[in-house]
Amino acid sequence: MTDFTVGTGMLRVEEALTLLSRRVAVLDGVEEVCLADALGRVLAEDVVSPLDVPPHANSAVDGWGFAAAGRPADGRMTVAGTVAAGHPFVGAVPVGMAVRILTGAPVPDGVDCVAMQEDCSGEGGVVTAPMLAPGTNVRAQGEDVAQGATVLAAGIRLRPQDLGLAAATGRTRLVVRRRLRAAVFSTGDEINEPGAPLPPGGIYDTNRTTACSLLRSLGAEVTDLGILPDRREVIRDALARAATGHDLILTSGGVSVGDEDHVKAAVEACGSLHFWKMAIKPGKPVALGRVGAAAFVGLPGNPVAVMVTFLLVARPLVLGMMGIKDSAVPRYRVEAGFAFRRKPGRREWLRARVRTDDGRLVAEKFPSDGSGVLTSMVWSDGLVELPEDVAEVSPGDALAYVPYAEMLR
Ligand code: AMP
Ligand code: MG
């Protein structure tokens, strides 16, 4: 069972990710689905090919096939017949003769190279072809996949090309992990359902829509459980009910140290809670815990902090529970197109957009760093990651950049 206990110090990002990868238990339960339903699911078996792919040597081009060693000095050969894709040649092509062969057609016995039709001339059953090395324009049997090879490994999230490769080995169904079931709440007396009139002091709920969508984009099955008031008992009861039938409960708001932050007490009343004080910006402490058998993640309330802490902490947790082996995201090297100063000590993510300037990738930073400014997330395409010890960024400096698209695949 997943255990989120940590010490009291500040957690560095790598430590947090290592802890997550060690502590998170993969959900049990698999199901078999047809390829059409497998996109985005997590593969729960190693897919081994029972056959060579391609299953037979075939021509990579339209042209004429012959045995390289049997080609006469003048290149003129009698055409022994035609072989098209799906229609193998019966028998062998005699030495010194050629066969008309089309792309994808099985290469007949007696043929070991194919001359492209653009390079040949001839008519009336005779062709003149250039000299070629054996193997030219021939796709060898098994050159893509050898029989018995593992073509897909358990623990990947299935992409279109993965499904295509499974189909190439003859598969129609795959064993995948069952979907993670997540429950999402917003908290706060000021939070209102979009569509309803706004009372004085009210704001519309931003986080629930974002959080549900983030979870869905990772492949989770999401139950939207609405807005909870700033009342400990109500929150406690709602969380306890949600713990049945969900693998994960995710809330936003109510986990800082304000008087109206009741989520912490509510989780402690019906489960266990640990604050992970991570040395990151934006993002106050992220609360991780357990309610019944469900994992609990309490994100901060500010909409930008919600998205950043989700991507940094909830995402690896969710992917780990789903059984995805590798949730690391690549950092791209870009150039700073801005100047920035700050107090070092925390790993900071700046909302950024990357443009190409004469072949170079240059990052622009959103002018405001406020953690409530959701337009900054919409304006940006990704995050620039500043290491803990950096105090200053000058134009032209090398920076690490992670596109949102890499984190939400
Ligand atoms: P809290 O952590 O509950 O103190 O919330 C921090 C800030 O985020 C406050 O300004 C809240 O009004 C805001 N906030 C909390 N939850 C939401 C939400 N679901 N949608 C939009 N803003 C929120
Ligand atoms: Mg609140």
Side-chain angles (χ1 to χ4, degrees):
M1 186 179 269
T2 305
D3 168 17
F4 296 111
T5 332
V6 292
T8 48
M10 278 276 211
L11 271 179
R12 289 172 61 98
V13 179
E14 283 76 17
E15 286 176 280
L17 293 179
T18 307
L19 278 172
L20 277 178
S21 68
R22 290 216 191 104
R23 305 273 184 86
V24 168
V26 179
L27 299 175
D28 41 85
V30 297
E31 57 183 318
E32 207 181 277
V33 295
C34 64
L35 295 188
D37 295 329
L39 185 63
R41 302 296 300 271
V42 180
L43 186 63
E45 60 168 329
D46 288 338
V47 175
V48 175
S49 180
L51 73 162
D52 284 333
V53 180
H56 48 259
N58 67 94
S59 178
V61 297
D62 292 333
W64 278 271
F66 50 92
R71 174 185 171 276
D74 63 359
R76 273 173 61 87
M77 291 170 280
T78 301
V79 178
T82 295
V83 51
H87 302 279
F89 189 82
V90 180
V93 176
V95 178
M97 292 179 75
V99 72
R100 171 76 175 136
I101 188 165
L102 302 172
T103 304
V107 171
D109 287 344
V111 171
D112 61 12
C113 65
V114 180
M116 286 169 71
Q117 63 188 29
E118 294 86 325
D119 300 335
C120 299
S121 59
E123 54 190 39
V126 173
V127 66
T128 301
M131 189 156 75
L132 296 177
T136 304
N137 295 322
V138 173
R139 302 174 185 141
Q141 176 176 339
E143 78 171 25
D144 196 353
V145 176
Q147 181 185 1
T150 300
V151 291
L152 300 172
I156 59 164
R157 185 149 184 229
L158 291 160
R159 305 167 299 169
Q161 61 269 45
D162 301 322
L163 301 176
L165 185 52
T169 69
R171 293 293 293 266
T172 59
R173 303 174 72 75
L174 292 170
V175 181
V176 298
R177 297 213 164 268
R178 77 167 168 80
R179 281 187 193 279
L180 177 137
R181 294 164 307 192
V184 176
F185 292 101
S186 288
T187 70
D189 286 346
E190 78 281 29
I191 310 299
N192 288 265
E193 201 63 61
L198 263 190
I203 57 170
Y204 284 128
D205 189 350
T206 297
N207 295 342
R208 220 164 84 241
T209 299
T210 310
C212 288
S213 306
L214 285 165
L215 285 163
R216 286 195 189 104
S217 72
L218 296 183
E221 216 170 75
V222 180
T223 319
D224 178 346
L225 290 175
I227 302 161
L228 294 172
D230 284 320
R231 285 176 48 207
R232 192 180 106 162
E233 291 72 25
V234 178
I235 300 175
R236 179 197 62 202
D237 294 349
L239 295 180
R241 271 195 306 278
T244 312
H246 293 106
D247 307 302
L248 171 79
I249 302 174
L250 187 135
T251 65
S252 64
V255 288
S256 50
V257 287
D259 293 343
E260 295 298 344
D261 292 325
H262 301 289
V263 172
K264 177 178 189 290
V267 178
E268 277 167 349
C270 61
S272 61
L273 187 81
H274 305 280
F275 275 101
W276 282 23
K277 291 192 209 82
M278 295 176 58
I280 61 172
K281 193 179 173 195
K284 292 258 176 53
V286 176
L288 291 165
R290 175 155 293 286
V291 179
F296 171 84
V297 179
L299 299 180
N302 278 310
V304 170
V306 163
M307 203 163 158
V308 174
T309 52
F310 181 94
L311 293 172
L312 298 178
V313 182
R315 175 185 172 277
L317 167 69
V318 165
L319 296 183
M321 290 175 76
M322 287 175 158
I324 291 184
K325 291 243 170 69
D326 181 12
S327 62
V329 284
R331 266 79 171 148
Y332 294 98
R333 196 186 145 103
V334 300
E335 252 177 60
F338 59 91
F340 184 64
R341 273 175 188 281
R342 65 165 201 145
K343 187 167 139 249
R346 292 202 275 172
R347 177 118 19 132
E348 181 160 0
W349 282 271
L350 306 174
R351 286 143 262 172
R353 220 182 220 189
V354 165
R355 61 182 162 84
T356 42
D357 184 354
D358 206 11
R360 295 166 312 143
L361 296 174
V362 180
E364 299 297 346
K365 176 179 118 32
F366 191 74
S368 153
D369 297 313
S371 67
V373 188
L374 202 61
T375 46
S376 67
M377 295 302 290
V378 174
W379 177 90
S380 55
D381 298 320
L383 301 170
V384 157
E385 182 182 50
L386 296 185
E388 286 77 356
D389 58 354
V390 166
E392 193 174 345
V393 175
S394 307
D397 283 358
L399 296 173
Y401 170 76
V402 191
Y404 297 131
E406 289 284 356
M407 293 186 261
L408 294 172
R409 284 186 296 154

